Amino acid sequence: MPDASDRHLRETCVASESLCEGDFLKARRDTVRMPDGTTSTREYIIHPGAVVIIPLLDDEHVLLERQFRYPVGRVMSEFPAGKLEPGEDPLHCAQRELLEETGYTAGQWAHAGALHLAIAYSTEIIHIFFARELQAGERHLDADEFLDVCPQSDQDFFQACRTGGVTDAKSLSCALWLQNVRSSAWALDWRPA
């Protein structure tokens, strides 16, 4: 939340130009007035926002996915996630993405918090959700989606985070949430689906 005492740190946009208008992402270059009155430029990506889901299979297991991620050229292990459609409620998006990608529905949901993925060059915000009381069903993958659904013990997941088997930033951030929720250090406000 903005704080009045942060005025000496704020930058103000004085001009903005579009660099790219893609179907999914947009790139901009802004000229900003710095706190000392000088100007500088900021290039950044406009992202529609997203969700990530930490599906709890039971007290010791979670559900992960493995899929090829073209920009990094490798198969990644990660929690289910997806982008928000224009005007879409984040919880609705999380429920939709869990079903589409894994085939699971959840009896209870909890919003954990928000993650700003790349604050230096992107507007992306990812809403973190936990899901439990999972029921298996049929997946509804998009035509261009190919992924495996992988149940994993918490311990194997944490080990993969430690050893480089999981390097996805959102999933690594979710590991912190998972550890603290499992240890009861952080409470969640569970709600029925």
Side-chain angles (χ1 to χ4, degrees), residues 1-2 8 13 16 51 60 82 97 117-118 139 192:
M1 297 297 267
H8 67 288
C13 179
S16 186
V51 298
E60 298 177 359
E97 289 292 341
L117 191 60
R139 296 191 306 172

CSV table of all heavy atoms in Angstrom, one decimal, residues 1-2 8 13 16 51 60 82 97 117-118 139 192:
chain,number,residue,atom,x,y,z
A,1,MET,N,0.8,-1.2,0.0
A,1,MET,CA,0.0,0.0,0.0
A,1,MET,C,0.9,1.2,0.0
A,1,MET,O,1.9,1.3,0.7
A,1,MET,CB,-0.9,0.0,1.2
A,1,MET,CG,-1.9,-1.2,1.3
A,1,MET,SD,-3.0,-1.1,-0.1
A,1,MET,CE,-4.4,-0.3,0.7
A,2,PRO,N,0.5,2.2,-0.8
A,2,PRO,CA,1.3,3.5,-0.8
A,2,PRO,C,1.3,4.1,0.6
A,2,PRO,O,0.3,4.1,1.3
A,2,PRO,CB,0.6,4.3,-1.9
A,2,PRO,CG,-0.2,3.4,-2.7
A,2,PRO,CD,-0.5,2.2,-1.8
A,8,HIS,N,9.5,10.5,-1.2
A,8,HIS,CA,10.9,10.8,-1.6
A,8,HIS,C,11.5,9.6,-2.5
A,8,HIS,O,12.6,9.8,-3.0
A,8,HIS,CB,11.8,11.0,-0.4
A,8,HIS,CG,12.0,9.8,0.4
A,8,HIS,ND1,11.0,9.3,1.2
A,8,HIS,CD2,13.1,9.0,0.6
A,8,HIS,CE1,11.4,8.2,1.8
A,8,HIS,NE2,12.7,8.0,1.5
A,13,CYS,N,5.2,9.1,-14.0
A,13,CYS,CA,5.3,9.0,-15.5
A,13,CYS,C,5.0,10.3,-16.1
A,13,CYS,O,4.0,11.0,-15.8
A,13,CYS,CB,4.2,8.0,-15.9
A,13,CYS,SG,4.1,7.7,-17.7
A,16,SER,N,4.7,8.0,-22.2
A,16,SER,CA,4.6,6.6,-22.3
A,16,SER,C,4.4,6.2,-23.8
A,16,SER,O,3.7,6.9,-24.5
A,16,SER,CB,3.4,6.0,-21.5
A,16,SER,OG,3.4,4.6,-21.5
A,51,VAL,N,-2.9,-16.8,-11.5
A,51,VAL,CA,-3.1,-17.5,-10.2
A,51,VAL,C,-2.2,-18.7,-10.2
A,51,VAL,O,-1.7,-19.2,-11.2
A,51,VAL,CB,-4.6,-18.1,-10.1
A,51,VAL,CG1,-5.6,-16.9,-10.1
A,51,VAL,CG2,-4.9,-19.1,-11.1
A,60,GLU,N,0.3,-34.9,3.6
A,60,GLU,CA,1.7,-35.0,3.2
A,60,GLU,C,2.0,-35.0,1.8
A,60,GLU,O,3.2,-35.2,1.4
A,60,GLU,CB,2.3,-36.3,3.8
A,60,GLU,CG,2.2,-36.4,5.3
A,60,GLU,CD,2.7,-37.7,5.9
A,60,GLU,OE1,3.1,-38.6,5.1
A,60,GLU,OE2,2.7,-37.9,7.1
A,82,GLY,N,-2.3,-20.4,-14.0
A,82,GLY,CA,-2.9,-19.9,-15.3
A,82,GLY,C,-3.2,-18.4,-15.2
A,82,GLY,O,-3.3,-17.8,-14.1
A,97,GLU,N,-8.6,-23.3,-13.7
A,97,GLU,CA,-7.3,-23.8,-14.1
A,97,GLU,C,-7.0,-25.2,-13.4
A,97,GLU,O,-6.5,-26.0,-14.1
A,97,GLU,CB,-6.2,-22.8,-13.7
A,97,GLU,CG,-6.2,-21.6,-14.6
A,97,GLU,CD,-5.8,-21.8,-16.0
A,97,GLU,OE1,-5.2,-22.9,-16.3
A,97,GLU,OE2,-6.1,-21.0,-16.8
A,117,LEU,N,5.8,-11.2,-9.4
A,117,LEU,CA,6.8,-12.1,-9.9
A,117,LEU,C,8.1,-11.4,-10.3
A,117,LEU,O,9.2,-12.0,-10.0
A,117,LEU,CB,6.3,-12.9,-11.1
A,117,LEU,CG,7.1,-14.1,-11.5
A,117,LEU,CD1,7.3,-15.1,-10.4
A,117,LEU,CD2,6.5,-14.7,-12.7
A,118,ALA,N,8.1,-10.3,-11.0
A,118,ALA,CA,9.3,-9.7,-11.6
A,118,ALA,C,9.1,-8.2,-11.5
A,118,ALA,O,8.9,-7.5,-12.5
A,118,ALA,CB,9.5,-10.2,-13.0
A,139,ARG,N,-9.6,-34.1,-17.1
A,139,ARG,CA,-8.9,-32.8,-17.5
A,139,ARG,C,-9.6,-32.2,-18.8
A,139,ARG,O,-10.2,-32.9,-19.6
A,139,ARG,CB,-7.5,-33.1,-17.8
A,139,ARG,CG,-6.7,-33.5,-16.6
A,139,ARG,CD,-5.2,-33.5,-16.8
A,139,ARG,NE,-4.8,-34.2,-17.9
A,139,ARG,CZ,-3.5,-34.2,-18.4
A,139,ARG,NH1,-2.6,-33.5,-17.8
A,139,ARG,NH2,-3.1,-34.9,-19.4
A,192,PRO,N,-15.7,-22.9,1.6
A,192,PRO,CA,-16.2,-24.0,0.7
A,192,PRO,C,-16.2,-23.5,-0.7
A,192,PRO,O,-16.3,-22.3,-1.0
A,192,PRO,CB,-17.6,-24.2,1.2
A,192,PRO,CG,-18.0,-23.0,2.1
A,192,PRO,CD,-16.7,-22.4,2.6
